[in-house]
């Protein structure tokens, strides 16, 4: 079915009445009221050029004209006088190419969405494996994520130099759920041992940091590079201490990635406010004093100080 218009203005009116039904537009450059160039500009303003292919039919054969219209986004150029069969074939080709392009874009979006969902399912599954292997962890992973969000939002509100926004906060909070991923390889006899660990057992337990970093490095197929970098830094360094006496590398102060320093505070707070096989939940005042005592030694003084303020505000 062919819809005809005697000038560009009427052609635009027809187009706007049927934007989803037009398969292709054959357009002359020299038209009254609205010429072909203006018609294309209007289509671009309405974001229609990417959806409907435009074929220029013109007697102008200069290289400058062809270059200009192609740069404007037209799909093909037919020089007049025309050969009807040739025009028919080229119109069919342009319509087919546009159809396949649009379907390819839709397929790519669908695959990207599915990949994102599969990545999230895989990550949630890994987190659940850790959670259910450790008798002590319970809701530990979910709490760490929540504490991390609270801390990061406080940092965003008070320390703009860290350049945090909601998207980054959600990415880091999500990555925090993999902080103990390395515990997958720790023997159950150590992971769930009642009472304190021996020095030898503790050395094995400490390896969950480097084991976790190694596991995350192997997740290169996950299409979230920032997420993976945050997850790696957190898994590797959340047991480092501000005074350099932590593990695995004995990093000191700001040598420790900021995300690991934040999760270090969140992890310690959760450990003190949760039941353990060797002790019950500590009173909030003792928790506060332990964090205060650890400022500048175990904890980053800024992030530890923020946690103290959050504790005080909750009283």
């Amino acid at each position: 079915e062919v819809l005809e218009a005697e000038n560009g203005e009427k052609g635009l009116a027809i187009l706007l009445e049927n934007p989803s039904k037009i398969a292709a537009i054959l357009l002359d450059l020299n038209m009254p009221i609205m010429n072909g160039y203006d018609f294309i500009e209007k289509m671009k303003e309405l974001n229609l050029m990417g959806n409907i292919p435009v074929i220029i039919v013109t007697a102008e054969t200069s290289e400058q004209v062809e270059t200009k219209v192609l740069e404007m986004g037209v799909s093909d150029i037919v020089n007049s006088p025309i050969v009807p069969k040739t025009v028919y074939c080229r119109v069919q080709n342009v319509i087919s190419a546009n159809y396949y392009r649009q379907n390819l874009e839709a397929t790519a979006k669908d695959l990207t969405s599915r990949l994102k969902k599969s990545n999230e399912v895989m990550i949630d599954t890994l987190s659940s494996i850790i959670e259910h292997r450790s008798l002590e962890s319970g809701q530990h992973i979910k709490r760490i994520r929540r504490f991390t969000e609270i801390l990061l939002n406080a940092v965003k509100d008070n320390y703009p130099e860290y350049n945090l926004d909601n998207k980054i906060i959600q990415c880091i909070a999500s990555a925090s759920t993999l902080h103990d991923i390395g515990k997958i390889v720790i023997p159950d006899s150590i992971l769930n041992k009642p009472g304190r660990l021996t020095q030898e057992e503790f050395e094995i337990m400490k390896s969950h940091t480097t084991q976790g970093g190694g596991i995350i490095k192997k997740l290169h197929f996950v299409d979230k590079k920032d997420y993976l970098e945050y997850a790696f830094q957190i898994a590797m360094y959340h047991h480092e201490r501000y005074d350099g006496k932590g593990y695995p590398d004995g990093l000191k102060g700001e040598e420790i990635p900021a995300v690991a320093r934040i999760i270090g505070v969140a992890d310690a707070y959760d450990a003190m406010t949760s039941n353990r096989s060797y002790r019950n939940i500590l009173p909030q005042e003792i928790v506060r004093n332990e964090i205060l005592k650890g400022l500048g030694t175990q904890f980053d003084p800024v992030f530890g100080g923020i946690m103290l303020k959050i504790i005080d505000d909750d009283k």
Side-chain angles (χ1 to χ4, degrees):
E1 181 182 357
V2 178
L3 304 175
E4 293 184 276
E6 61 197 56
N7 60 58
E9 191 173 77
K10 289 190 176 181
L12 186 63
I14 293 173
L15 172 60
L16 294 178
E17 289 175 6
N18 308 275
S20 63
K21 296 180 180 179
I22 302 295
I25 297 172
L26 281 81
L27 180 68
D28 198 345
L29 292 176
N30 298 313
M31 298 184 293
I33 303 178
M34 179 187 292
N35 65 32
Y37 297 112
D38 293 338
F39 187 92
I40 294 171
E41 289 297 338
K42 281 291 183 182
M43 284 189 67
K44 291 170 74 173
E45 288 175 16
L46 298 167
N47 293 318
L48 294 174
M49 280 297 288
N51 300 325
I52 305 170
V54 175
I55 301 169
I56 298 297
V57 181
T58 180
E60 297 187 38
T61 58
S62 71
E63 184 178 329
Q64 289 81 0
V65 170
E66 289 190 4
T67 300
K68 182 176 181 179
V69 294
L70 288 172
E71 287 177 344
M72 293 178 78
V74 304
S75 299
D76 201 358
I77 302 170
V78 176
N79 294 317
S80 58
I82 65 170
V83 178
K85 183 64 177 177
T86 300
V87 173
Y88 177 84
C89 290
R90 292 175 80 164
V91 169
Q92 289 295 321
N93 289 341
V94 164
I95 292 173
S96 295
N98 187 60
Y99 172 80
Y100 286 117
R101 180 184 62 79
Q102 290 187 342
N103 275 272
L104 182 61
E105 289 176 354
T107 301
K109 287 180 181 178
D110 182 57
L111 288 173
T112 300
S113 176
R114 291 186 184 187
L115 178 60
K116 182 179 178 182
K117 288 179 180 177
S118 67
N119 288 341
E120 290 170 353
V121 168
M122 182 272 298
I123 289 163
D124 287 344
T125 300
L126 288 173
S127 298
S128 297
I129 290 170
I130 308 163
E131 186 172 357
H132 289 100
R133 277 201 65 215
S134 176
L135 298 178
E136 290 185 342
S137 61
Q139 296 295 307
H140 173 62
I141 291 171
K142 293 178 182 177
R143 291 196 303 270
I144 288 295
R145 177 170 185 153
R146 181 62 185 143
F147 295 155
T148 300
E149 281 188 78
I150 293 170
L151 280 166
L152 288 170
N153 276 298
V155 173
K156 183 190 75 169
D157 293 341
N158 295 281
Y159 296 91
E161 61 267 30
Y162 284 98
N163 296 315
L164 292 176
D165 58 33
N166 291 335
K167 184 178 179 181
I168 294 174
I169 288 172
Q170 289 305 309
C171 184
I172 296 172
S174 179
S176 73
T177 62
L178 293 182
H179 71 288
D180 276 341
I181 187 72
K183 286 185 177 179
I184 287 176
V185 301
I186 303 299
D188 286 341
S189 59
I190 295 176
L191 191 63
N192 296 317
K193 179 182 177 180
R196 294 190 176 278
L197 301 176
T198 66
Q199 185 60 40
E200 184 180 352
E201 289 169 339
F202 184 53
E203 289 302 317
I204 295 172
M205 178 64 88
K206 283 163 61 176
S207 71
H208 80 274
T209 54
T210 52
Q211 295 281 6
I215 290 169
I216 290 167
K217 282 292 187 183
K218 294 177 182 177
L219 301 181
H220 53 82
F221 55 87
V222 175
D223 189 26
K224 291 183 177 181
K225 303 309 176 188
D226 290 345
Y227 172 91
L228 288 179
E229 182 58 30
Y230 289 137
F232 174 79
Q233 293 176 358
I234 290 167
M236 278 287 292
Y237 304 121
H238 68 286
H239 283 294
E240 296 285 3
R241 289 171 52 104
Y242 200 76
D243 60 7
K245 297 180 180 179
Y247 62 89
D249 293 337
L251 301 182
K252 186 176 182 179
E254 295 191 5
E255 292 176 350
I256 308 165
V259 290
R261 283 179 271 146
I262 289 172
I263 275 64
V265 174
D267 195 31
Y269 178 81
D270 183 67
M272 290 186 283
T273 56
S274 304
N275 284 318
R276 289 290 187 264
S277 59
Y278 50 88
R279 61 152 175 77
N280 292 324
I281 296 173
L282 297 176
Q284 197 74 344
E285 191 58 36
I286 292 179
V287 173
R288 187 190 186 285
N289 288 337
E290 287 296 314
I291 293 175
L292 179 62
K293 187 167 63 176
L295 295 183
T297 54
Q298 181 175 354
F299 306 119
D300 180 301
V302 171
F303 302 143
I306 289 173
M307 179 58 85
L308 289 176
K309 187 175 187 305
I310 292 169
I311 293 172
D312 292 341
D313 289 345
D314 284 343
K315 287 183 179 179

